[in-house]
Structures are given as C-alpha cells and as structure tokens.
Amino acid sequence: MILWLKVLSKHLRLLARYWVITFKEFSSFTWDVWLSVIQFVLYIGRSIVFWWAVSRIGVFSGWTLPELSFFAAISFLPGLHELFWNFWNRASFSDKVLRGDLDKYLARPVHPLFAIAAEDVHLAIFLKYFVPPLVMAICLVRGYHLPVTVGRFLVGYLLLSTGKFVLTMMRAASSMLAFKYGDVTGLQLLLFQFTALGRYPVDAFPSTLKFLLTYVLPAGFTATFPAMVMLGKAAGLEVFGVAAALAFLWAFIVLRLWAVMVSSYESFGG
C-alpha cells in the first residue's frame, strides 16, 4: 500500500493532466453528456422501483422501503480510487498481453501498473456516476427523515470506496494471469457475476453465501455495509477494519503477481 501511495504522489502531475484531457474530451459533446446522465438517473430509478415492488410484500430482511431506496442509490456511487487508478474494465488487459501492446507501458518512465490503469481515469465520468446517486440519496434522507448524519455518511462512503477498491484489486489480480494463461476474460466475467450480487443486501442471503460475499468476494462492502453504517445499523470502525485488511491483502497480491508474471512477458519485438 505504501508503494501505491509513493507511485501516486510521484505521478500526481501526470494524473492531473489525465483529468484535464479526459474532461475536455467528455465535455465537448454536451448533448450526449446530458443524455447519458438522464439514462443513468433512470437506471437508478429502475432499481428503486424494483425494491418498491419487493417491499410491497412487507419488510425485506429488516430493510424498509426508504432504506432499500437509499441502499439502491448508494450502490451506484463510484469509489474514490477511480479518481486515480481504474482497473474496473480491464478485461482487455489480456488482449494487451497477447498482442504485445504492453510494450508502450513498459517503455514509459512511469510505473507500468499506474500507466495502464490511470489512462482509464476520467474525471467527468466519475462526476457523472457520483453526482446523480448522491443527489438521490440526499433527497431520500430528507424526504423520509432517515437517520443519516454527515459523519456516518463519510465513514460509510470511505467503507464503500475501500470495498470497491478490493474488487478492483481482485480484477487486476485475475488480469495478471494473462501472462501465463492468455485470455482470462472468462474468468473475469465469472468473478463479476459473483460480485454483482452486491447489488442486493447481502445480509438477506443464507449465512454461507453471506460469509462468501463478505470475506471472500467482498461485495457486501460495496453497498450493504456502507448503507448500514450510514443508517446507523452497523459499527463503522469495526466493519472498516475488515475492509481495510482485505484492501492491504489484495494490493500486496497484485504487486507480487505483477512482479512474478511480468518476467514471463514476451512482446512481438522479443
């Protein structure tokens, strides 16, 4: 984790340039920007309608309709790591390895992992995914008088960011296997199918699946536990300790896998 912080501080100016370039590119098509925002808002609304339909049969595993609606909005918030290191959609990483495209990252005077992930960082897209669910969450808190305070919200969002960082590290780790096994897109899609269960409150699942989605494939830290912390239904520091430990573990695994696997890389140029 210390190495990640050193890399980030060293290339902070380069990261700022990524933000400026991508924001200008994104904002040059104003009409499309607003359409994409509307589409995203409707997507969140669809999730809330789903939970409204479910809640009509009664309280869902201890969650009321206002809490489920709040949970749905929170689940769409992006993690803070997406401002500087976005490995979320790195299914194409195996293509880079197989085609020899990794050469351009190895030749740059920056850490290759930073170069690969930071070029996908997009400030405007982060704001697009951050502002609508945040506004919707605030409206739900005010409209239903949910017991969410600023302090609990910040702790919950930090927990959410940590949880999504863990899943990002897991995707990055699975991508590293491309050096040895070639195309690993299928493995990543399989991983995504399990972690996508985080769109549902994991405390509603049987104990075995709940354990799996909390400690093995920690999808519970991307929405369920953050929402519970914000609502005062879970102890923030205790839950955050588990998420932080998983984040350190998977960051270490990614760095070790990179160091081991990249040594077997052979580009078309030899």
Side-chain angles (χ1 to χ4, degrees), residues 98-238:
L98 294 174
R99 294 196 305 261
D101 295 343
L102 207 61
D103 292 6
K104 69 175 183 178
Y105 303 102
L106 296 174
R108 293 175 180 176
V110 296
H111 196 285
L113 278 180
F114 175 84
I116 293 170
E119 72 174 5
D120 277 346
V121 168
H122 206 309
L123 178 60
I125 291 182
F126 177 87
L127 294 175
K128 164 191 165 182
Y129 288 120
F130 181 81
V131 174
L134 177 63
V135 171
M136 190 166 291
I138 293 174
C139 291
L140 290 168
V141 169
R142 291 182 175 273
Y144 289 107
H145 304 288
L146 296 174
V148 179
T149 64
V150 174
R152 282 206 296 257
F153 184 89
L154 293 177
V155 173
Y157 180 63
L158 185 60
L159 174 61
L160 178 146
S161 297
T162 304
K164 292 197 172 184
F165 176 75
V166 173
L167 294 187
T168 299
M169 290 292 101
M170 294 176 71
R171 286 187 171 91
S174 64
S175 296
M176 300 302 168
L177 299 178
F179 287 110
K180 186 174 182 179
Y181 300 107
D183 190 1
V184 293
T185 304
L187 173 62
Q188 293 193 318
L189 291 175
L190 180 62
L191 179 64
F192 175 77
Q193 294 303 318
F194 279 100
T195 56
L197 290 173
R199 293 291 184 186
Y200 306 94
V202 299
D203 59 336
F205 293 116
S207 57
T208 302
L209 187 55
K210 179 182 176 181
F211 178 86
L212 175 69
L213 295 174
T214 302
Y215 300 105
V216 182
L217 299 170
F221 293 118
T222 65
T224 302
F225 293 116
M228 292 177 68
V229 168
M230 293 175 186
L231 291 167
K233 300 173 69 173
L237 293 179
E238 180 179 330

Side-chain angles (χ1 to χ4, degrees), residues 18-66:
Y18 276 126
W19 286 347
V20 172
I21 293 172
T22 55
F23 191 86
K24 288 182 177 179
E25 176 186 353
F26 185 79
S27 59
S28 61
F29 301 99
T30 309
W31 175 252
D32 185 64
V33 169
W34 284 111
L35 282 179
S36 63
V37 170
I38 293 172
Q39 179 184 9
F40 185 61
V41 170
L42 292 175
Y43 191 52
I44 300 175
R46 186 182 68 182
S47 295
I48 293 178
V49 169
F50 169 78
W51 288 119
W52 169 78
V54 170
S55 65
R56 293 191 67 185
I57 63 176
V59 176
F60 179 79
S61 190
W63 293 78
T64 64
L65 173 59

